[in-house]
Amino acid sequence: KSNETSGTEEIIAESFQQWHDSGGSCPEGTVPIRRTTEKDVLRANKLRRFGKKPIRHLRRDSSGNGHEVCNYHYQSLTHSIRGEQYYGAKAKLNVWAPKVTDPYEFSLSQIWVISGSFENDLNTIEAGWQVSPELYGDSYPRFFTYWTTDAYQATGCYNLLCSGFVQTNNKIAIGAAISPRSSYRGRQFDIGLMVWKDPKHGHWWLEFGSGLLVGYWPAFLFSHLRSHASMVQFGGEIVNSRSTGAHTYTQMGSGHFAGEGFGKSSYFRNLQTVDWDNNLLPLNSMHLQADHPNCYDVRQGRNTVWGTYFYYGGPGRNIRCP
């Protein structure tokens, strides 16, 4: 076995949701919804944008250099595949609790399913985990979803903060903290996520963990994604607000660079796409993107246990990232 997978069968486990630790459950016919409180709304940088990602005016595709709006820099590390017709994506995401050093910044790891241009009609479906003090009021990694049909301008939102995503599962709470989390040189935990299109009704379904259907994005929400996706991305993203005039110390992934490897840096593993007939396919060709590799970097690999995988992340500001 390679160093990446040696012994991982014993020390990788599946994360779930923290609210289950206290015996939380929902009656049949209901779904768990994270309550939005007055404090949540008051934390928002802009009330009219509460629950939404900031509008992105710059191109973000497999050849872009990130994006910037209102002095905010969005830095990402992604594996991208494009140019064909995609009907979903699947991966295992290593879960950490990266430090977010500004209340209006976030750090996330997610899957993107994308179609449309990168101007005003971008359609995306997104799911993963994020640390967002502004949105949740704490530093826990939380399971989240997102969607937009107009490049984050007016449509879509996080989780269930607007109408759109239809939740069908009474055991999964979108926006709930994920537990346990991975630790440096310690046990590693990950979550499985899959997004795929129902060929009969055209809805985009979301699966969490081992076969738990969370719900779906109805086909009527979308324009370009009503038929298929033209790109899928896997990776991490942070906001660099430069509130101190320098690069943020906000971490991505574990807060350590990709070269440190298993148990130290964060990973995505078993990357796959979904074809028109709902078959899972291994990734063939990918574009690797690291907007600022001195701050956060990425390193890919492939073997028989993890399939296609990559390590990614970093500490943010350091001697090579001023």
Side-chain angles (χ1 to χ4, degrees):
K1 296 181 183 178
S2 70
N3 291 335
E4 285 80 6
T5 58
S6 180
T8 57
E9 292 84 352
E10 291 77 31
I11 57 178
I12 287 183
E14 188 173 57
S15 290
F16 205 60
Q17 297 199 304
Q18 193 165 298
W19 69 290
H20 288 285
D21 295 343
S22 58
S25 63
C26 290
E28 192 70 28
T30 67
V31 297
I33 297 176
R34 182 182 180 273
R35 182 177 300 162
T36 301
T37 66
E38 181 181 2
K39 288 182 178 179
D40 289 335
V41 177
L42 290 176
R43 277 194 310 272
N45 190 22
K46 295 180 180 179
L47 289 180
R48 66 184 180 86
R49 297 291 303 173
F50 177 69
K52 296 180 180 292
K53 288 188 175 182
I55 299 171
R56 301 177 178 188
H57 298 295
L58 299 186
R59 184 177 181 87
R60 190 191 77 182
D61 64 4
S62 61
S63 60
N65 291 316
H67 26 266
E68 175 182 349
V69 56
C70 300
N71 200 35
Y72 278 64
H73 301 251
Y74 297 84
Q75 298 181 10
S76 62
L77 294 170
T78 57
H79 269 61
S80 303
I81 51 174
R82 66 177 307 168
E84 300 180 23
Q85 295 182 1
Y86 303 104
Y87 295 83
K90 183 178 184 180
K92 293 271 192 178
L93 288 65
N94 196 197
V95 179
W96 294 79
K99 292 179 182 177
V100 175
T101 57
D102 184 285
Y104 299 117
E105 296 178 349
F106 62 65
S107 181
L108 61 76
S109 297
Q110 68 172 56
I111 297 172
W112 290 263
V113 177
I114 302 170
S115 194
S117 71
F118 283 80
E119 302 302 329
N120 296 323
D121 64 345
L122 181 72
N123 287 203
T124 76
I125 288 172
E126 306 170 31
W129 61 262
Q130 70 177 160
V131 175
S132 176
E134 179 186 12
L135 196 57
Y136 306 108
D138 58 35
S139 298
Y140 295 121
R142 292 174 175 270
F143 171 50
F144 81 94
T145 63
Y146 201 91
W147 66 275
T148 182
T149 61
D150 60 1
Y152 306 96
Q153 293 182 92
T155 61
C157 62
Y158 279 112
N159 306 333
L160 301 175
L161 293 175
C162 66
S163 60
F165 184 82
V166 179
Q167 185 167 345
T168 59
N169 192 298
N170 68 352
K171 295 180 175 64
I172 301 296
I174 301 175
I178 300 173
S179 179
R181 278 84 67 175
S182 302
S183 59
Y184 190 74
R185 297 181 183 271
R187 294 194 71 192
Q188 300 300 297
F189 298 90
D190 56 31
I191 57 172
L193 291 178
M194 179 165 67
V195 175
W196 81 98
K197 187 176 176 63
D198 170 12
K200 182 176 181 181
H201 299 102
H203 305 323
W204 289 88
W205 282 86
L206 174 63
E207 178 183 293
F208 180 95
S210 301
L212 292 173
L213 297 182
V214 181
Y216 62 91
W217 291 271
F220 69 77
L221 291 176
F222 303 103
S223 52
H224 297 290
L225 278 175
R226 194 169 296 185
S227 54
H228 60 268
S230 57
M231 176 191 286
V232 293
Q233 291 184 336
F234 307 84
E237 186 175 49
I238 65 97
V239 172
N240 174 27
S241 64
R242 299 187 68 89
S243 57
T244 64
H247 194 284
T248 182
Y249 285 102
T250 287
Q251 300 174 336
M252 185 187 292
S254 68
H256 293 262
F257 286 113
E260 293 196 39
F262 183 77
K264 300 173 184 177
S265 59
S266 190
Y267 61 80
F268 277 64
R269 64 183 175 102
N270 302 108
L271 276 60
Q272 296 172 291
T273 59
V274 181
D275 71 4
W276 66 274
D277 201 26
N278 273 10
N279 297 306
L280 284 166
L281 304 176
L283 300 191
N284 293 320
S285 60
M286 296 177 294
H287 176 85
L288 199 63
Q289 174 186 323
D291 292 341
H292 294 83
N294 289 332
C295 309
Y296 316 98
D297 69 354
V298 59
R299 183 175 297 183
Q300 71 179 39
R302 181 174 179 81
N303 61 44
T304 56
V305 180
W306 281 19
T308 300
Y309 67 89
F310 62 91
Y311 290 105
Y312 70 101
R317 187 179 179 188
N318 63 79
I319 193 170
R320 296 187 298 117
C321 173

